[in-house]
Amino acid sequence: QVREQQKYISSQIRQRVKQRRAEKLHQLEEALRAEWQKAQEEKMKALEKLFLSSLRAVGEGHRQAKENVSKQLNVIVIEVLDVLEVLRLPVSWFVYCFVCVCF
């Protein structure tokens, strides 16, 4: 009977050890999963910031290009008006020539 008790106690001890090991593995799995999830979220936030920064840069580039074109166009118009004034031609003459050339 003592022998059977020892076997029973040994079996219970093994079972508890097995259960604790399974619990520890489960806790480790949960901790690793939470850590991985946090890392993924941080990566996603970093990529979102990079994406928004890139969009802003593209928008700024477009704005500057548009500004440059407007400035260049203003310079050309002023030069044309100066030439028309020197030649004593009316602005309507330039408009007529421009329309003929463009269309």
Side-chain angles (χ1 to χ4, degrees):
Q1 186 179 1
V2 171
R3 193 174 194 138
E4 282 182 28
Q5 264 186 330
Q6 285 177 339
K7 282 183 180 181
Y8 177 73
I9 292 171
S10 296
S11 171
Q12 282 188 328
I13 291 172
R14 280 193 300 275
Q15 206 171 22
R16 281 190 218 142
V17 167
K18 202 177 200 181
Q19 187 177 1
R20 283 186 192 159
R21 184 180 295 144
E23 288 171 2
K24 292 287 183 183
L25 282 173
H26 182 69
Q27 289 173 355
L28 179 61
E29 177 187 2
E30 291 297 317
L32 288 173
R33 181 170 290 148
E35 188 177 323
W36 180 84
Q37 187 74 28
K38 184 179 177 182
Q40 292 302 104
E41 288 170 4
E42 288 173 2
K43 286 178 188 176
M44 189 62 113
K45 284 180 184 177
L47 287 172
E48 284 174 2
K49 281 184 181 180
L50 182 61
F51 178 73
L52 289 175
S53 174
S54 296
L55 279 181
R56 285 189 196 101
V58 167
E60 180 63 20
H62 282 247
R63 189 189 62 72
Q64 287 178 359
K66 187 177 178 181
E67 237 176 57
N68 287 342
V69 167
S70 294
K71 287 178 185 177
Q72 290 171 350
L73 189 57
N74 286 341
V75 168
I76 291 169
V77 167
I78 290 169
E79 288 176 357
V80 166
L81 290 175
D82 288 345
V83 168
L84 290 175
E85 188 178 325
V86 168
L87 297 174
R88 298 180 188 266
L89 294 171
V91 174
S92 59
W93 180 83
F94 170 72
V95 172
Y96 173 77
C97 291
F98 180 76
V99 169
C100 289
V101 169
C102 291
F103 300 101

